[in-house]
């Protein structure tokens, strides 16, 4: 694949279909209805020119019509939200307090849920399995404690976090995680998101995602 001509006429995203960080950005672009183009990056065979886009070689990266490039998925998400909000299409509430609460929920998820998920997948010690799985369940409780009970989960918050909820499948399959019945909010959230048309268009094909997680998990066994 040859390097696309720069700068692009519209926002240009460089993602990988199996990467949850990329999924965040791809989902936001569609949900916010921002004109864009996609240049898929194969993480197993990255083109040499991609280092000119992101010197770290990571995805996603977002190239702007100005020629500037943004990296780090949450940086990209906040940028896209601000861009769309100027056109009245933002996903975040106008109230500064509610916006701050969503930031808190994202930060809580990243530390209390996202990190333990990958810790569990990296773990190769059977003696630590139960402890790590309990950390995930405890983290989910901590996350949901920051989310209002009386209203649907904000779509921006869902975009920022749900790609990693998908990765719970890997912990369930390879590390024996069982989600107790009392986590009803998680179950309802998963059911609602999986019916979302935008999510259905950007989600990784389950077989590809499982294969990627299997490779990751086996590397750590």
């Amino acid at each position: 694949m040859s390097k696309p001509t720069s700068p692009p006429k519209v926002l240009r995203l460089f993602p990988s279909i199996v990467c949850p960080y990329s999924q965040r950005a791809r989902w936001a672009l569609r949900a916010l209805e921002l004109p864009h183009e996609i240049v898929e990056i194969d993480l197993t065979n990255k083109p040499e020119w991609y280092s000119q886009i992101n010197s770290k070689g990571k995805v996603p990266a977002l190239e702007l019509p100005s020629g500037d490039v943004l990296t780090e998925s949450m940086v990209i998400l906040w940028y896209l939200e601000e861009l769309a909000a100027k056109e009245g299409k933002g996903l975040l509430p106008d109230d500064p307090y509610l916006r701050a609460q969503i930031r808190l929920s994202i930060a809580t998820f990243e530390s209390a849920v996202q990190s333990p998920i990958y810790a569990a997948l990296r773990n190769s010690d059977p003696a630590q399995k139960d402890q790590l799985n309990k950390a995930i369940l405890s983290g989910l409780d901590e996350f949901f404690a920051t989310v209002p009970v009386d209203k649907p989960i904000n779509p921006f918050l869902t975009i920022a976090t749900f790609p990693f909820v998908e990765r719970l499948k890997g912990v369930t399959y390879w590390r024996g995680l069982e989600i107790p019945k009392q986590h009803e909010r998680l179950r309802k959230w998963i059911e609602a998101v999986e019916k979302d048309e935008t999510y259905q268009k950007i989600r990784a094909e389950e077989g590809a995602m499982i294969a990627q997680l299997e490779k990751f998990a086996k590397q750590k066994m």
Side-chain angles (χ1 to χ4, degrees):
M1 177 173 54
S2 59
K3 184 179 183 294
T5 303
S6 295
K9 294 181 179 180
V10 295
L11 296 170
R12 177 184 288 156
L13 182 69
F14 297 88
S16 170
I17 190 66
V18 295
C19 170
Y21 299 95
S22 294
Q23 194 174 348
R24 280 174 164 173
R26 193 192 296 262
W27 194 348
L29 282 164
R30 281 186 173 270
L32 293 166
E33 300 178 349
L34 293 168
H36 65 281
E37 61 184 49
I38 299 290
V39 178
E40 194 75 27
I41 300 297
D42 182 352
L43 294 179
T44 64
N45 186 28
K46 282 182 282 190
E48 291 184 6
W49 54 258
Y50 186 63
S51 62
Q52 300 172 35
I53 303 297
N54 184 354
S55 59
K56 295 181 179 179
K58 295 181 178 180
V59 292
L62 183 71
E63 187 175 11
L64 314 184
S66 64
D68 295 315
V69 175
L70 292 173
T71 60
E72 301 299 331
S73 61
M74 281 310 304
V75 172
I76 292 172
L77 255 62
W78 290 113
Y79 172 80
L80 296 177
E81 168 63 22
E82 291 183 18
L83 201 62
K86 291 180 179 179
E87 302 177 9
K89 299 188 295 186
L91 300 175
L92 290 170
D94 294 329
D95 186 300
Y97 173 77
L98 295 178
R99 292 168 72 95
Q101 283 297 114
I102 289 171
R103 285 181 180 271
L104 172 64
S105 295
I106 293 171
T108 301
F109 183 92
E110 289 182 332
S111 62
V113 182
Q114 187 173 320
S115 293
I117 286 174
Y118 284 101
L121 285 171
R122 291 187 186 100
N123 175 52
S124 58
D125 182 359
Q128 294 187 31
K129 183 187 72 172
D130 290 345
Q131 180 181 350
L132 290 169
N133 286 350
K134 287 179 181 178
I136 294 173
L137 298 177
S138 176
L140 285 167
D141 289 336
E142 188 176 343
F143 165 68
F144 279 112
T146 71
V147 180
V149 179
D150 58 346
K151 59 186 67 174
I153 294 178
N154 177 271
F156 185 90
L157 175 56
T158 292
I159 290 169
T161 57
F162 196 82
F164 301 92
V165 173
E166 276 193 331
R167 274 64 189 174
L168 284 173
K169 294 175 182 177
V171 188
T172 299
Y173 187 80
W174 288 289
R175 301 295 185 250
L177 175 68
E178 295 183 7
I179 306 296
K181 291 182 179 180
Q182 62 262 34
H183 281 276
E184 189 62 22
R185 293 185 73 188
L186 175 63
R187 296 179 189 279
K188 288 183 177 180
W189 186 31
I190 292 174
E191 289 175 3
V193 172
E194 289 186 341
K195 294 176 183 177
D196 182 86
E197 291 184 2
T198 303
Y199 167 74
Q200 291 173 0
K201 290 176 181 177
I202 61 87
R203 72 181 302 180
E205 192 274 322
E206 186 165 319
M209 183 186 70
I210 292 295
Q212 182 218 25
L213 290 174
E214 181 178 21
K215 181 179 179 181
F216 180 86
K218 286 183 175 179
Q219 286 176 341
K220 305 300 177 181
M221 284 182 173

